[in-house]
Amino acid sequence: MKPILYVIIPCYNEEEVLEVTCGIFIDEIKDLVNKNKISEESHIIYVDDGSKDKTWDIITRLSKCNGCINGIRLSRNRGHQNAVLAGLLESKDECDISITIDCDGQDDVHAMEDMVDAYNDGADIVYGVRSDRSTDTFFKRFTAESYYHLLNIMGVEVIFNHADYRLMSSKVLQELSKFKEVNLFLRGMVPLIGYKSTSVYYERHERMGGKSHYPLRKMLMLAFDGITSLSIKPIRLISVFGFLIALLSFIGIIWIVIGTINGNTIQGWASSTCLICMVSGVQMMSIGVIGEYIGKIYLEVKARPRYIISETTEGENRR
Ligand code: UDP
Ligand code: MG
């Protein structure tokens, strides 16, 4: 039987690009239906992440003109990861496979065919991996690639150069729904689910319109979240660092005592002051890192809903 595919597309203030890329998604779905690879019941699900522009009006209009388009509107802006999760969890009982993709046309839609083929060959998760980052600036490429290495050093299993363009079967979605965390970093969570997975490669293009919602500040926040949500190595490193400093100080004290006994005066107040400043800086930074984790625990314990749906194009009251 041909699988029902749901393409989940998060959008935030995307009025400039939605109509430009919508046709590309519809054509790809039609192409896959014509090639008998997916069911005619396949859909595109736009998730409006609390946009303040005309995004929701456009989604409503598109869904009226195209039977294969549905929309979910979140009650406020919750960020890309939450919007993707909302689309996935709301679709998990209706589709056989889901593909998440951004709405700006940066990710090559033709990779969907390879993803569906990989699913038909037995994979439950298919990661879309960027084969080429030449459209990114040197800074973005360098920081992004270093970040993947850093994540691996921190013990977080991520696929190199894979972001959130991926296929997941409904079996995987059911398991994902059991992950109750509110600090989301999907590209680190999905590999934890397991099952058979593979990668397909695609070229990333420029945005087809509008502008990126990920300035450096947000990118750094996501990067930091990724590490602290999935690894406790930073706390462990602090312990190791603290131990090394304590050991060095102990050796220093012995050295000073021996010097005093031998009658050598201790010189270098300036360097001592520098050391004290450095160590207090390191201590404050360490408390900050631990505080980050406590903040995360605080958010997890409250277990607030990760998204709230205010309306859907199907007109159901899904709350
Ligand atoms: N997005 C979202 N909520 C946000 C920010 C972004 O749903 O708060 C969506 C956005 O509309 C796009 C995708 O997430 O479909 C990726 O965002 P963007 O293209 O701005 O990021 P970049 O590709 O520049 O990293
Ligand atoms: Mg983008």
Side-chain angles (χ1 to χ4, degrees):
M1 222 174 67
K2 289 172 286 177
I4 301 175
L5 166 67
Y6 274 24
V7 178
I8 315 290
I9 311 179
C11 332
Y12 177 57
N13 291 346
E14 296 284 12
E15 61 183 9
E16 285 174 52
V17 80
L18 266 188
E19 279 164 311
V20 182
T21 53
C22 176
I24 300 173
F25 294 124
I26 295 175
D27 288 349
E28 185 62 25
I29 296 260
K30 280 189 185 151
D31 187 41
L32 291 175
V33 169
N34 290 339
K35 288 179 177 163
N36 266 326
K37 297 200 174 186
I38 58 170
S39 152
E40 294 85 3
E41 289 169 57
S42 297
H43 272 79
I44 294 171
I45 312 287
Y46 281 111
V47 183
D48 177 10
D49 185 16
S51 300
K52 294 176 184 68
D53 64 359
K54 297 202 179 70
T55 298
W56 182 247
D57 299 338
I58 298 172
I59 293 174
T60 323
R61 199 171 62 238
L62 289 173
S63 83
K64 280 188 187 133
C65 309
N66 300 279
C68 71
I69 293 183
N70 281 343
I72 296 173
R73 187 182 200 185
L74 302 191
S75 61
R76 59 176 284 260
N77 180 240
R78 294 303 316 265
H80 171 245
Q81 298 287 294
N82 294 62
V84 171
L85 186 82
L88 290 171
L89 295 190
E90 294 304 309
S91 315
K92 73 178 194 314
D93 299 323
E94 289 156 30
C95 64
D96 298 311
I97 45 175
S98 67
I99 293 181
T100 47
I101 186 168
D102 294 346
C103 69
D104 53 15
Q106 283 195 277
D107 299 325
D108 183 8
V109 289
H110 301 300
M112 285 191 198
E113 185 169 350
D114 296 339
M115 288 184 176
V116 173
D117 288 344
Y119 166 78
N120 287 328
D121 289 341
D124 277 297
I125 304 173
V126 188
Y127 299 105
V129 176
R130 298 169 192 179
S131 58
D132 172 39
R133 273 185 172 267
S134 55
T135 55
D136 283 346
T137 59
F138 170 77
F139 179 73
K140 181 142 187 173
R141 191 164 64 233
F142 176 74
T143 47
E145 292 188 347
S146 313
Y147 179 58
Y148 287 103
H149 291 303
L150 181 66
L151 279 173
N152 280 323
I153 293 169
M154 291 290 161
V156 180
E157 190 190 332
V158 281
I159 309 296
F160 190 68
N161 270 340
H162 158 71
D164 282 302
Y165 185 19
R166 74 176 82 77
L167 176 147
M168 285 183 275
S169 69
S170 58
K171 192 164 89 179
V172 174
L173 296 184
Q174 296 297 340
E175 296 307 320
L176 183 67
S177 70
K178 295 179 191 160
F179 285 58
K180 298 295 181 198
E181 60 216 76
V182 297
N183 296 287
L184 296 175
F185 189 64
L186 290 167
R187 71 189 85 166
M189 286 159 66
V190 174
L192 296 177
I193 297 174
Y195 292 127
K196 194 170 170 213
S197 65
T198 184
S199 298
V200 302
Y201 295 85
Y202 70 96
E203 276 181 26
R204 189 160 157 96
H205 308 295
E206 298 280 9
R207 242 179 185 271
M208 292 188 180
K211 55 182 187 320
S212 170
H213 301 91
Y214 272 91
L216 186 63
R217 184 184 58 84
K218 267 200 183 174
M219 253 170 59
L220 287 176
M221 266 164 57
L222 180 71
F224 200 66
D225 263 0
I227 296 174
T228 51
S229 297
L230 290 146
S231 163
I232 55 159
K233 266 206 179 164
I235 294 189
R236 215 162 275 159
L237 286 177
I238 287 174
S239 312
V240 173
F241 196 62
F243 175 76
L244 287 179
I245 289 185
L247 190 73
L248 271 178
S249 319
F250 186 66
I251 296 170
I253 288 168
I254 295 177
W255 178 67
I256 288 167
V257 170
I258 294 174
T260 312
I261 292 168
N262 291 338
N264 299 334
T265 44
I266 299 166
Q267 290 180 342
W269 285 112
S271 50
S272 311
T273 313
C274 287
L275 269 178
I276 291 169
C277 289
M278 190 200 86
V279 173
S280 5
V282 170
Q283 274 178 342
M284 274 162 78
M285 197 187 74
S286 310
I287 294 171
V289 173
I290 297 169
E292 262 315 304
Y293 281 94
I294 295 176
K296 285 242 151 78
I297 297 168
Y298 175 66
L299 292 174
E300 294 295 343
V301 168
K302 281 197 289 190
R304 287 181 177 158
R306 293 173 288 185
Y307 59 87
I308 294 172
I309 293 172
S310 61
E311 54 188 306
T312 70
T313 51
E314 293 154 294
E316 303 161 13
N317 185 0
R318 302 177 80 150
R319 292 177 61 188

